[in-house]
């Protein structure tokens, strides 16, 4: 309740986006492998941004 109006940090937003992309890639891996590979690539790019923020 106390964190109700707390804004998410850039790192938290990127972590959520990374998780979402990995879930989508997993779902697509069952039907469309090339689309799954594209989502994996996007997830890797987000992970690189996360690592860059953590190293600052």
């Amino acid at each position: 309740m106390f964190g109700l109006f707390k804004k998410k940090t850039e790192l938290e937003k990127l972590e959520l986006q990374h998780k979402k992309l990995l879930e989508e890639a997993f779902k697509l891996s069952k039907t469309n492998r090339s689309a799954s590979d594209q989502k994996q690539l996007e997830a890797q790019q987000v992970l690189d941004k996360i690592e860059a923020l953590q190293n600052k």
Side-chain angles (χ1 to χ4, degrees), residues 18 21 39-49 51:
H18 180 255
L21 286 169
K39 291 293 180 182
Q40 285 283 354
L41 178 64
E42 292 175 22
Q44 183 60 43
Q45 291 170 346
V46 171
L47 185 61
D48 292 340
K49 290 180 185 177
E51 290 173 353

Side-chain angles (χ1 to χ4, degrees), residues 5-20:
F5 297 109
K6 179 183 171 198
K7 294 193 181 225
K8 292 184 181 178
T9 64
E10 185 69 24
L11 185 60
E12 290 173 334
K13 290 178 186 177
L14 287 172
E15 288 172 345
L16 286 174
Q17 183 182 9
H18 180 255
K19 182 180 177 185
K20 180 182 169 196

